[in-house]
Amino acid sequence: MLEILAITLPIFLLIGAGFTAARSGLMSREHMQGVGTFVMYLALPSLIIRALTDYPLAEVLNPAYLVAYGAGSLAVFLLGLALSVGLRGKRLDAGAIHALGMSASNSGFIGYPVALMAIGPPAAIFMALNMVVETLIIIPVALILAEAGRQNGNGLGPVVRQTFARLTRNPVLVGLLIGIILALSGLRLPGPLAQAIDMLAEAAGPAALFTIGGMLHGLKVRGMALDVGQVVLGKLLLHPLAVLVAFLLLPAPDPLLIAAALLFACAPMISVYPLFGKQYGQGDVSAAGLMVSTLASFMTISLTIWLLARFGLLPVG
């Protein structure tokens, strides 16, 4: 247990530092947003570029991992949609937002730092693969369905085009494209530029965790137990279980792939979840879900690491 705490405690201490900085007034919400912008537009793309140029491309673009992680995530998304819309009678836009919270992990801000502590540098590869699933499948599908629910199915074509147009400007996908081009061409970045990218990549984990802590300050949970409970339990329990089942269905699955996928799947939902929720009348639910899942993930992440070590999928110590 002490070895597991050695992995998880520094992560949540950094989250606590960000929360304390925001609560004490040392850093305003605008300051925190600035740090988050730095992480999203500079640090994470640099991290992905470094990962894609440091490892063989065949190892990075792992189709088995993409298929299994994508299948598990999509299964939970569809289950969440069925629970909200089919069973609980929610509108399609609300159901799509609930399903998004259950199936899209915070791979960059929490999943990557956790995986880095647990499995080392290969964590950057898996982060890039997870972000492909989240930004090209889960998030677009959720936003398209949410917009369809709000518009009652009218004018869906422009919504689809606008959604994918926004994705082409996503800094994570831009970094992914640059990294793939460099890996395929065999080009090497000039020394000073490569060193700058290394420095930015090293800052990604700590800055991301600090930002998450700052974002948690001021979030409140008010009378939303059923909605928040569904999203949080779906994200922290159903998502890892579905991903595990998907990987176990692969022929001779690699233990490292399983460990990495579960470490990312047990992370709380994406940090921009409240922003998506606010657009479709689910701002309070999504903000509360982010807060509760982030706090609860201390226990679920620690339990996941213990189970992975217990079954020999993750060396601890």
Side-chain angles (χ1 to χ4, degrees):
M1 183 56 68
L2 289 177
E3 293 167 342
I4 293 169
L5 287 176
I7 295 174
T8 57
L9 191 56
I11 291 165
F12 286 91
L13 285 176
L14 281 173
I15 293 176
F19 180 86
T20 302
R23 182 179 177 83
S24 66
L26 180 63
M27 295 187 70
S28 67
R29 182 165 292 274
E30 289 73 21
H31 292 150
M32 286 297 179
Q33 290 173 347
V35 178
T37 299
F38 161 77
V39 173
M40 183 61 66
Y41 281 85
L42 293 174
L44 286 182
S46 297
L47 183 65
I48 292 172
I49 291 171
R50 187 177 70 174
L52 291 172
T53 53
D54 281 354
Y55 293 89
L57 193 60
E59 180 180 344
V60 175
L61 299 179
N62 190 310
Y65 186 94
L66 284 172
V67 169
Y69 193 88
S73 299
L74 190 58
V76 173
F77 179 88
L78 295 175
L79 176 61
L81 196 66
L83 286 174
S84 292
V85 178
L87 185 63
R88 301 181 58 211
K90 298 286 185 179
R91 286 169 49 96
L92 180 59
D93 50 358
I97 295 301
H98 294 171
L100 173 64
M102 295 170 63
S103 56
S105 289
N106 195 336
S107 296
F109 282 25
I110 292 183
Y112 168 70
V114 170
L116 179 64
M117 295 282 287
I119 64 176
I125 295 175
F126 297 113
M127 181 195 71
L129 293 172
N130 292 340
M131 285 187 165
V132 168
V133 172
E134 291 151 7
T135 56
L136 290 184
I137 301 175
I138 303 299
I139 293 175
V141 169
L143 295 183
I144 290 169
L145 288 176
E147 195 63 33
R150 186 162 68 176
Q151 298 184 11
N152 294 320
N154 295 323
L156 190 56
V159 173
V160 174
R161 290 193 294 272
Q162 291 169 11
T163 300
F164 282 96
R166 285 196 298 268
L167 287 175
T168 62
R169 300 189 294 272
N170 184 297
V172 170
L173 293 183
V174 172
L176 185 67
L177 179 61
I178 293 172
I180 290 175
I181 290 173
L182 290 172
L184 287 173
S185 65
L187 295 174
R188 306 298 298 178
L189 295 173
L193 180 57
Q195 187 175 2
I197 287 177
D198 281 344
M199 294 170 68
L200 287 170
E202 291 297 329
L209 293 170
F210 186 85
T211 304
I212 285 291
M215 291 178 61
L216 291 179
H217 174 62
L219 297 182
K220 300 182 184 301
V221 181
R222 301 189 302 269
M224 301 169 287
L226 285 178
D227 289 341
V228 172
Q230 175 188 322
V231 173
V232 172
L233 290 176
K235 183 67 205 68
L236 299 182
L237 295 180
L238 294 181
H239 191 205
L241 287 174
V243 167
L244 175 61
V245 170
F247 273 87
L248 292 179
L249 291 176
L250 293 176
D254 185 341
L256 178 62
L257 299 187
I258 297 175
L262 290 179
L263 288 171
F264 280 95
C266 71
M269 65 277 294
I270 50 176
S271 59
V272 293
Y273 181 54
L275 302 180
F276 290 138
K278 187 176 181 180
Q279 296 178 35
Y280 300 98
Q282 300 296 307
D284 289 343
V285 171
S286 55
L290 176 66
M291 181 183 72
V292 174
S293 67
T294 302
L295 296 176
S297 67
F298 177 77
M299 296 301 298
T300 57
I301 288 173
S302 299
L303 177 61
T304 299
I305 293 174
W306 180 80
L307 289 172
L308 289 173
R310 177 69 177 79
F311 288 97
L313 298 175
L314 183 70
V316 177

